[in-house]
Every structure is written in structure tokens, then in C-alpha cells.
Amino acid sequence: MQLILLSGGSGKRLWPLSNDARSKQFLPFLEREDGERESMLQRVVRQLDAAGLADNITIATNIAQKDIIVNQLGENVRVVTEPERRDTFPAIALAVSYLSIEKKCGDDEVVVIMPCDPYTESGYFEAVKDMVSVAQRNVAELVLMGITPTYPSEKFGYVVPESHDTSRKDYYRVERFTEKPDVRKAEELLAEGAFWNGGVFAFRIGYMMDIVRRYVRSDSFEDTRARYQEFPKISFDYEVAEKAASVAVVPFAGSWKDLGTWNALTDELKCNVIGNAVMGGHCRNTHIINELQYPIFADGLEDVVVAASPDGILVCGKEHTEHIKKSVENLTHRPMYEVRRWGTYRVLDDTVYPDGHHALTKSITLERGRNISYQIHHHRSETWTFVQGEGLFAFDGKVRRVTAGETVVIPVEHYHAIKAVTELTFIEVQTGHPLIEEDIERFEWQWPE
């Protein structure tokens, strides 16, 4: 059995803590039993491991999220990146092509597709095992998970079974799908025994590859990825689930939540204050999360979320947090904080001066033993001032040791890289035009032993 975790999303509903590169599934605010905090992604992978389902995980994502996935899960995780965002069908098609062509998985092997961020309990993963069993028995071309609804929601799609015969416990055949109805229609669907569509699917690899080949026929995964635009920009539900000749649904009646809004997330936080903040004694049902160095004090607030990060500051009544996504779409033109495979960076200043001169200043921290790739920039020069730790600095083929207090200058079109001997922090000042993350060309480099 193969498992594909879908990781996407723009991150706007949990602004300012999430952005295009650090969506909700990467926020490290969920508390484990040992008191340590973890992200939704880390929690799901830990639960999969406990259920014995973590041996063959592949994560399908966009290129902007690859580094943070590696940072949170380690270098050995399998990641398939889509060249551009094109919805869930092409993302799944690409990931299944990787398993079939690159990993040589057989056509009869069952694949489970699931989101990387459900907030759920162990029974959910037992239902995944049941889905695999139903798929292996050839009950239907496609098997999906149906979440037992707790209220008539407008946020989810619904799966209507042919009959709700409770004598059959492991699966039902599907009669039809209904996508995000209004409340009145949702109430009618619940009366019919409908399930929420949990976005979890199981099928045999050969079934999906037959669909893939309608758009792209290739014996090379690299060629399939290069022709990614030939896949239609459409959801998996519309392109596959609703067109399948036979569909079965495996029910799950346990606890399941989407922590994609501030209301839902704060309901699951065990602490009302995270980060550099103090709350007075006259606050009720208020949460503060502060990722800035500047302290926050709040008092006299009720049903409020206060969140601060380099991307911005949010102060919002909890009843209004559903509307954040549309309101903040144009507030920030770039992520001001990112987690990369080598560590983190924070933008300290981004200024275009009256004469057109552009300068961008970052604080960059590399974890011990990690390195930034050997690279050149075609449009910007950089000045690095090391403020903490020790590292190895490569410049035009030569390597030397650097420590706190030293400064190096990297002109345009010069090769450079840095590796942390200990945890290493430096201040980077970029000048040039345009100052964009994409101005980078990487090369192979072997660090000395």
C-alpha cells in the first residue's frame, strides 16, 4: 500500500501566521502529550506511524512548500512537487505517475490519497485500513471515506449512499455526490444518511494511470512533470470521483475537524498565550500568539484573537475570523518569514528609496550541519554579517571558516554557499533589481570533510 499526502493551500485564513510558503499545516502550535509543540503535518505523520501506515508516504505539494516539509519531517521524506498549482486532480496524477514510473509500483497496488492536516483520532486511520481492504477486494473502482456529519454544514461536499443499511458495517455503495449545499439542502442530505466527503480516496494504481494516460502518455516521470500543463486544472472530485463507474464509501464516525480557521484552531490550543505576550486578568476566551520579538500586553478583551508575525498583526473578534481570507489578500506582497530545509529567515526591512534603490535585509539562521546551496545571483549583490555561531563559507571555489563579527561581500555573478558548523545566524543585506527569491541558480558542490 502507498500513501499520498496532499499538501497545498495559500494559508490566508490563518493570516498573519501562515502564508503561501507556510500554510496552516506547518504551524507548530499543537501540543503533544510530552508538552512539546508540533504542526498538523507532524501530528498526522506521527499518527500514521502509530497506526503502522507510515512505511510508504509520498507528499504531493508545490515547490514553495518543499523546504518546510523537509525541515519538519527530515531529509528522507519523499516529496513530489508540481511545477505550478493546478488543483487536486493534476497534483494526484503527478504523484501517482511518480509511484508508477519512478518507483515501479505495480498496477494492482492500492494507493490512498489523504490531506496532510486533518485533526482527528486513531479511528480515522483504522478507517483508512478498511478502505485499503475494500479496494483490494475490488468492491469498486474508487473507495472514499465518509465522515459522519455532526451538523448541516455548508463548508463540505456530501456523499449520498445508495442505502443506509446499518447491517453492512465496512462500506456502502455511493449513489451521488452533492457539492457544498446550503443549510436547508444539507439538512435534507443528513436525513438521507449522507456523509461529509473527507477528501480521502483509495484506488489501484492501474486505475489512476489509465486516467493519466488520457492526457499524458509517457514512460518518463521527468517528461510527465514537464508536460504538467497538459493536465486539466480541475479537482479530483470532479474529474475522477464523480465520473467513476463504481464508488464505495467507508464510514468514519469519530472526531474530525478542519483547523483551517482561527476559531477552530484556538479551540484546540491548550494555552491561551504563545510567544512573547502577557494577558491581564480581565480577558475571556481570548488567545494571543506572538512570533515577534516585541512584547504584547492585552487586557479587557472577550472572544478575540491577537496574532503577530513578521507578515502582520491581527486583532479580530472570533465571530469575524471567517472573513479574513478575502480581507488580507493584498496586504503583503511576499512572505516575511519562511522555514527552509536548512533553517529559517525573517525579513527585517524591505525598502525602495526615492532614487529607485532597493534594499532587502534578512536575519538568517542555519541549523547545525545544514547548508545553503552553492549558487549565484544575476541581479543582486549580498553582504553577510555573522552575528552568532561558526560556519564554512564557500566563495568562487574556495572555502574558509567564518565566525561572529565577520562580514563578507558577495557581488553579482559570484559563486557562494554557507554551511553551519554550529547553529549560525547572519544578517543579509541584498541590493539590486529585482530583489526576488527566484533570482538564484544552483550548482553541485562538495563540502570538505
Side-chain angles (χ1 to χ4, degrees), residues 26 39 41-42 45 57 59 65-79 339-342 367 370:
F26 305 120
S39 68
L41 173 66
Q42 289 169 321
V45 171
I57 294 176
I59 300 181
Q65 294 183 357
K66 182 176 181 179
D67 273 11
I68 193 170
I69 290 169
V70 172
N71 182 281
Q72 292 196 351
L73 299 182
E75 295 284 348
N76 294 327
V77 63
R78 293 193 311 210
V79 181
V339 179
R340 296 292 184 88
R341 65 174 64 209
W342 39 259
E367 298 173 6
R370 299 290 183 93

Side-chain angles (χ1 to χ4, degrees), residues 217-354:
R217 284 186 170 271
S218 178
D219 294 327
S220 161
F221 173 70
E222 290 77 12
D223 180 58
T224 301
R225 189 176 185 276
R227 297 168 60 187
Y228 192 62
Q229 287 186 333
E230 296 179 31
F231 291 113
K233 191 174 184 179
I234 191 172
S235 73
F236 184 86
D237 294 85
Y238 286 139
E239 179 63 20
V240 179
E242 295 190 11
K243 296 179 181 179
S246 59
V247 184
V249 57
V250 170
F252 168 63
S255 174
W256 175 86
K257 291 184 179 180
D258 175 10
L259 302 188
T261 65
W262 277 113
N263 273 350
L265 178 61
T266 54
D267 281 347
E268 301 304 327
L269 297 182
K270 296 182 179 179
C271 184
N272 287 71
V273 175
I274 297 175
N276 188 13
V278 175
M279 190 184 298
H282 301 92
C283 288
R284 294 181 56 193
N285 191 30
T286 292
H287 288 79
I288 304 174
I289 301 177
N290 184 15
E291 294 188 323
L292 300 176
Q293 295 177 337
Y294 309 108
I296 291 177
F297 172 76
D299 204 358
L301 301 179
E302 184 173 352
D303 300 325
V304 170
V305 175
V306 179
S309 83
D311 279 0
I313 297 173
L314 168 74
V315 181
C316 189
K318 290 187 176 180
E319 72 272 21
H320 299 294
T321 58
E322 296 281 349
H323 310 296
I324 289 174
K325 184 175 181 178
K326 290 184 179 179
S327 300
V328 304
E329 283 181 347
N330 300 314
L331 282 184
T332 53
H333 68 281
R334 58 159 295 146
M336 304 296 279
Y337 174 84
E338 286 198 50
V339 179
R340 296 292 184 88
R341 65 174 64 209
W342 39 259
T344 62
Y345 80 75
R346 185 186 307 267
V347 175
L348 304 178
D349 184 68
D350 185 7
T351 303
V352 178
Y353 295 92

